[in-house]
Amino acid sequence: MGEHVVILAEGGQRKRAAATDAERVVADGNEATLVLRQRSKWLDEPISDRVRVVDLHDLEKQERWMPVEWLLLVRVPRFAFKVVGVGPIKGFSQRASSAWRRRVANPLHRRVFLPMVRRRAGSRPESLMERGIGARTVVDVLLITDPGSMPTAADFLEHHDVPRVAYSLDHAEATAIGER
Amino acid sequence: MTNHPSKVAVVTPWYPTAQHPFRGAFVQAMVDATGPGTDMSVFHCEEWGHRQPAAPIESAYAKLLARTHHPLRFVPTAGGARVTQLPVPLSVTPRYAEVAKRHAEVLGQALQGKPMPFDIVHAHVGLSGGWGALANVGPDTPVHVTEHASFLGKLLDQPDAREMYDELLHRVAGFYAVGERVSRPLIDAFPHHKDRIELITNPVSFEYERPVPVTELRRWLYVGTLSQLKGVNWLLEAFARCHAEDPALTLTLVGDGPLHAELVERAAALGVSEAVTFAGVQPPDRALLLFREHDLLVHASRFETFGMTIVEASAAGLPVLVTRCGGPQESLAGIESDAGEMVEVEEGSDALVDGYRRLRDRFPDGLDLARARRVLDDRYGYATTAREHHRVWFGEDRG
């Protein structure tokens, strides 16, 4: 295997570019790792089986606090709505349960719990990315393929020595005028 | 061609990428045509829209730019030029003035606040490439701007964007619209700049020609976005009706877009799924090869400022069936019946079906594809484009 190219596509705003570059990397006989968030959102963009996928969302779900949050925000309220919602108020209770999930649990998860956990050193996206890739794995090229990946990329580069950084595979070999 | 020692920068928001293989193909063609004989560098300032908090992205990008663009790094591109990819991350906004300012800011960050070290800067799209370039050149560097945008109406409705456009027209050394559909709203909005707005067309390569001429009009081809603006829904309806008369007809749709799923469903409902191929997005060189494998380009767009695919197809020797959607009336003026058939824009498939029947009935003797090709080469060929650009850049015809 030749070079290891990590394609960071955390924001998911330019999936086609990320998937195309990953496919080209493996087609050229190199190793490609595609770092994304929530693979289920990539169903419209096929990813080659030869590309290794690191899903930051999955890694985040493995954090210790997640079951506790899930219990507090989702399971306990759902159980409560179920217990209360019998007889004539069953329909109302079911609607209230979904509204809770949509209007309270999900925003709380996104705006409060996630930012809190991402402040912990081991749970920051770049740490999850490092864990997903393998802490000792050499990265020869880092491609930052969308704006949502930029904060993670900048943090990752503060602690890792990556010889080449670019925004697409076509530009991975870019040189300054007069260089080489 | 005489060598121009001049250092020319091209600043553009549009240039083909893996995400959008066709977007800005005309800018790449312009670089291909005008680059030889100059020392040309392309700044591809591609907008990367997002709906996330802007501050963390912008602060991270400033750090990344120091790594990726200080010093500026390039890869070779068309016409012996070099290109640097400079994403412009921005919060999705309908405000054109904000977009323009963000372009100026990012280009400035990449240049570390120094003026662009070029003799001539040619920007594409007024309030993104043009504004970004003007904000980052020294006082003696002339900036030329080519406008292609089809969204000028919306832009000019926004007072701050309109004011910036007026200022841009004051400051540029030369301003060029790629067709009358682009120049007209600008002249209406800024009559005091009427004499500054010239027409300059997009270049088209005539290097490629079908090795075997078309002998029958059976294999239809569409290349572009699958959207209502492009009239692809009516194209499919028209195809189904013609297919009912001639089951040997096929249709290949190259591209992607919001109508994709709906079109697949509609093709099934019309019973033409077997005859319709959804080829997806293809790289431009593959799209050119498709001209070899098809007999007719059908383009049912509602509006085009230029309509590059139509000229490319004619350049490759393919007959065209196109709507009178703006650009094609200009590009095919005087050779409409030589190149193919033009039909009115209408919300229905009748015009396309009738147009196809007329075209089929007078094919091949009623067309003169070779003449159409010659005339188009003279209008849009690389030599013409290079001559025009070098004239405005260097003040003389050195092409």
Side-chain angles (χ1 to χ4, degrees), chain B residues 102-114:
Chain B
R102 184 78 185 121
H103 272 267
E105 188 182 13
V106 168
L107 187 55
Q109 284 174 343
L111 295 162
Q112 300 181 72
K114 295 174 193 154

Side-chain angles (χ1 to χ4, degrees), chain B residues 194-215:
Chain B
K194 184 173 181 288
D195 296 337
R196 292 179 64 77
I197 300 172
E198 290 183 47
L199 287 179
I200 203 163
T201 59
N202 284 319
V204 174
S205 171
F206 283 74
E207 265 183 24
Y208 172 77
E209 189 179 5
R210 282 175 65 102
V212 181
V214 174
T215 53

Side-chain angles (χ1 to χ4, degrees), chain B residues 320-324 328-329 332 336 340-344 358:
Chain B
V320 295
L321 172 60
V322 297
T323 47
R324 294 182 194 281
Q329 287 103 297
L332 299 181
E336 297 94 336
E341 190 74 29
M342 291 188 98
V343 300
E344 296 305 319
R358 285 196 302 275

Side-chain angles (χ1 to χ4, degrees), chain B residues 127 147 151-159 161-167 169-170 175 180-195 197:
Chain B
L127 273 206
E147 183 60 272
F151 49 75
L152 283 175
K154 276 192 246 172
L155 184 154
L156 294 169
D157 283 342
Q158 298 177 3
R162 190 186 181 98
E163 200 176 309
M164 286 165 78
Y165 216 105
D166 194 9
E167 184 183 334
L169 281 163
H170 269 295
F175 186 93
E180 279 188 24
R181 292 293 282 259
V182 176
S183 65
R184 202 174 304 132
L186 290 171
I187 291 170
D188 290 345
F190 309 112
H192 48 290
H193 290 308
K194 184 173 181 288
D195 296 337
I197 300 172

Side-chain angles (χ1 to χ4, degrees), chain A residues 13 16-17 162 167-168 175, chain B residues 19 52 67-68 74 85 256:
Chain A
Q13 292 102 345
R16 180 178 299 145
V162 180
Y167 304 99
S168 67
T175 53
Chain B
Q19 181 72 15
Q52 293 173 232
R67 170 72 192 259
T68 57
F74 296 87
Q85 184 186 21
D256 201 356

Side-chain angles (χ1 to χ4, degrees), chain B residues 7 24 48 52 61 74 107 109 120 175 223 228 248 274 278 334 343 371 392:
Chain B
K7 290 167 72 180
W48 283 12
Q52 293 173 232
Y61 189 44
F74 296 87
L107 187 55
Q109 284 174 343
I120 288 156
F175 186 93
V223 181
Q228 284 192 330
E274 302 263 310
F278 290 88
V343 300
R371 176 172 179 270
V392 296

Side-chain angles (χ1 to χ4, degrees), chain A residues 14 16-18 20-21 24 168 170, chain B residues 15-21 281:
Chain A
R14 300 178 71 254
R16 180 178 299 145
T20 305
D21 278 356
R24 282 178 55 199
S168 67
D170 281 338
Chain B
Y15 211 69
T17 62
Q19 181 72 15
H20 300 292
V281 176

Side-chain angles (χ1 to χ4, degrees), chain A residues 56-152:
Chain A
L56 297 180
H57 182 68
D58 282 351
L59 292 171
E60 224 161 39
K61 280 200 299 192
Q62 291 165 15
E63 291 293 300
R64 273 173 302 176
W65 58 272
M66 278 296 278
V68 180
E69 189 213 358
W70 181 253
L71 187 75
L72 289 175
L73 280 184
V74 180
R75 295 193 67 174
V76 169
R78 192 164 57 196
F79 179 72
F81 280 116
K82 204 171 175 182
V83 168
V84 174
V86 288
I89 63 162
K90 187 177 178 186
F92 170 79
S93 177
Q94 282 172 340
R95 285 196 301 279
S97 179
S98 333
W100 166 270
R101 179 86 187 260
R102 202 172 54 248
R103 291 172 184 270
V104 180
N106 287 347
L108 266 177
H109 170 72
R110 274 199 315 272
R111 293 177 195 160
V112 180
F113 284 85
L114 272 184
M116 260 166 54
V117 82
R118 284 177 187 168
R119 275 200 288 272
R120 282 184 55 230
S123 305
R124 291 170 64 92
E126 73 276 12
S127 304
L128 297 176
M129 175 177 159
E130 182 188 86
R131 200 188 310 161
I133 293 170
R136 291 187 185 169
T137 307
V138 171
V139 178
D140 298 297
V141 182
L142 177 65
L143 302 182
I144 305 151
T145 64
D146 58 43
S149 299
M150 288 174 172
T152 303

